[in-house]
Amino acid sequence: MQQITQTSVAVVDPERLVLEWPEWSSAPAPRQPAPAPAAPAAPPPRHMPPPPPPADRPETAKLDAAVALLRAGNVVAFPTETVYGLGANALDSSAVAKIFAAKGRPSDNPLIVHVSSVAMLETLLPDSCPRLPPVYADLVSRFWPGPLTVLVPRSDKVPAAVTAGHDSVAVRMPSHPVARALIERCGFPLAAPSANTSGRPSPTLASHVLVDLAGRVPLILDGGPCTSGVESTVVDGLRAVPAILRPGGVTYEQVRGAVGMEAVTVYSKHFTDKALEAAPTTPGMKYRHYTPNAEVVLFEAEAEAEAEAERDGERHTSGGDHGHSVVASVTDAALGKGLDSGKAGNGSAIQTATPGARLGVLRTGSAVTACPADALQPAIGNVEEEHLGDTAEEVARHLFRGLRDLEQRGCTVILVEGISDADHGLAVMNRIRKAASRVA
């Protein structure tokens, strides 16, 4: 891996950037895919032409150093609405290799390609499929730009390293102003996984990127906190039955509401595929992810209670209630109560916390627990508690930040309160389960 002597951070204001690109607010929705021409169309250009030099766009001009690095075949970290990404020219195999080297990422874990328009996406397609597949027409019109990734056929313009050798490529159009302007200024698509060391919690702040990749990347664009907080939803509409391969910022319920997606299924919830898991077509399927330097224990009692309540006709929008909280569970365990020998158990989580260790608790839901975290102090020692939010969307936005914050505070065990897997909770629980070493 090429060692960078210094990592620079450049702050870019997304709100000012939006004002410099009025065409974004007036632009029509992504166009519907046109029928394939009767005769082969002329091949699209390799790179989309960049807009005129931003003489009257001072905030956009702050991206010039990043654009120069990317055009020279280097990597740059930049914000998206989901998490911070580590980008490189998606059409340059040498540049793509630097992504894998900087992250320590396995080569069989594919990358997502980020574009700024449907026209740019179509430059990645083979002659046999020159337009966006019609199955995605309504879905893309609803959720692009945004946290949605679709699998499309790839042409040989896209290096095999991007797709781990597959014939399809995962593509999305981010909505974050910095990401959109950066891609526009480059004039070519960016391959970009999360900008962290492979396996770590995804970064939702520029400071998270710096912790993981200082000295490994030349530049980080700081566009503030990410608004979604979990990665994009990945949809494979090339299958006989469309499938969500990774839940994310667009919910299953939202995807299912799009024309052509009425029968969509969710991987690991509705079906499994050992061959796909062994050779995934999209990131987030094969390897353990999102793990801080601490043991993560998931308490699913909240999620199970909510699922039961929903079956009984009661709708819950958050993971908390007065009947049971992770803090109360841990207290019971610490006092030798309520242990379930059929599971990993609350008690086994506490046994990991040796005397003097610092225990972290990530709570969810709006209810104020009847047993505050300081009640654990006499039984366990140092306890750090953090409330992620009152709704599943808030929990999603703050989950990775919470894991990193508790890690930074020296917690060696982090207990996470589960939520219902309805709506945005599906993506939240997917991430927590991948991070957890045990479930209680």
Side-chain angles (χ1 to χ4, degrees):
M1 181 188 72
Q2 180 184 3
Q3 189 71 18
I4 307 297
T5 57
Q6 182 177 357
T7 297
S8 300
V9 178
V11 177
V12 184
D13 188 328
E15 294 182 1
R16 291 183 180 178
L17 202 59
V18 169
L19 297 177
E20 295 178 4
W21 293 80
E23 56 267 42
W24 286 346
S25 59
S26 60
R31 62 182 173 83
Q32 303 295 315
R46 181 176 174 85
H47 299 324
M48 300 298 294
D56 57 343
R57 297 177 175 178
E59 206 66 27
T60 303
K62 293 181 181 180
L63 303 178
D64 286 352
V67 171
L69 285 166
L70 291 165
R71 287 181 174 172
N74 291 303
V75 295
V76 169
F78 63 96
T80 77
E81 71 279 13
T82 58
V83 300
Y84 273 73
L86 182 61
N89 184 347
L91 307 180
D92 182 342
S93 58
S94 296
V96 169
K98 294 178 182 179
I99 294 175
F100 288 92
K103 285 178 58 72
R105 184 182 179 92
S107 61
D108 61 348
N109 198 4
L111 306 176
I112 292 175
V113 175
H114 295 64
V115 299
S116 58
S117 66
V118 173
M120 183 180 283
L121 175 151
E122 290 175 345
T123 68
L124 310 177
L125 301 178
D127 292 340
S128 59
C129 179
R131 299 288 182 262
L132 178 71
V135 69
Y136 296 125
D138 189 42
L139 189 66
V140 162
S141 70
R142 293 179 185 224
F143 300 112
W144 272 15
L148 170 73
T149 294
V150 297
L151 285 181
V152 297
R154 80 168 177 97
S155 72
D156 57 9
K157 301 185 191 75
V158 181
V162 171
T163 67
H166 290 284
D167 293 331
S168 60
V169 57
V171 184
R172 88 175 185 95
M173 187 193 303
S175 63
H176 195 288
V178 174
R180 292 183 69 182
L182 181 64
I183 298 167
E184 285 283 346
R185 291 298 303 147
C186 285
F188 49 75
L190 298 180
S194 54
N196 58 333
T197 305
S198 188
R200 296 265 297 145
S202 297
T204 57
L205 294 171
S207 58
H208 297 164
V209 182
L210 194 60
V211 167
D212 281 15
L213 299 182
R216 297 188 180 195
V217 300
L219 178 62
I220 300 169
L221 295 178
D222 183 352
C226 300
T227 55
S228 174
V230 294
E231 297 84 354
S232 62
T233 300
V234 179
V235 176
D236 184 356
L238 305 180
R239 303 169 63 93
V241 178
I244 294 175
L245 300 184
R246 183 183 72 182
V250 177
T251 69
Y252 162 66
E253 292 82 2
Q254 290 173 317
V255 172
R256 191 174 56 179
V259 175
M261 294 288 156
E262 297 85 353
V264 69
T265 58
V266 180
Y267 180 75
S268 82
K269 183 179 177 70
H270 300 134
F271 75 99
T272 58
D273 185 331
K274 294 298 183 183
L276 181 61
E277 186 173 325
T281 54
T282 183
M285 299 187 68
K286 184 175 183 179
Y287 295 97
R288 189 178 176 197
H289 289 74
Y290 321 120
T291 308
N293 293 322
E295 181 177 11
V296 177
V297 180
L298 167 62
F299 278 74
E300 288 200 292
E302 288 287 348
E304 292 168 2
E306 287 198 3
E308 183 177 351
E310 288 180 10
R311 287 192 295 270
D312 292 340
E314 297 179 28
R315 180 63 173 172
H316 285 237
T317 58
S318 68
D321 62 51
H322 290 284
H324 189 80
S325 75
V326 65
V327 176
S329 297
V330 176
T331 303
D332 286 348
L335 299 175
K337 302 175 182 177
L339 300 183
D340 181 356
S341 59
K343 293 186 177 182
N346 300 343
S348 63
I350 300 308
Q351 290 166 13
T352 308
T354 56
R358 190 173 294 273
L359 177 73
V361 179
L362 290 181
R363 291 191 55 244
T364 60
S366 59
V368 177
T369 176
C371 181
D374 58 12
L376 297 176
Q377 301 284 353
I380 299 172
N382 299 318
V383 177
E384 299 280 349
E385 183 180 13
E386 191 159 325
H387 184 229
L388 296 180
D390 295 340
T391 67
E393 285 185 86
E394 291 176 343
V395 173
R397 187 176 304 122
H398 300 134
L399 174 63
F400 292 142
R401 185 216 66 200
L403 289 171
R404 285 179 173 267
D405 283 354
L406 291 182
E407 174 195 74
Q408 188 175 23
R409 287 188 244 170
C411 295
T412 55
V413 178
I414 299 175
L415 309 171
V416 186
E417 189 176 52
I419 65 174
S420 165
D421 65 0
D423 299 314
H424 288 89
L426 182 64
V428 170
M429 293 303 291
N430 170 271
R431 300 323 190 262
I432 299 174
R433 288 183 179 118
K434 285 185 175 294
S437 57
R438 278 186 282 167
V439 178

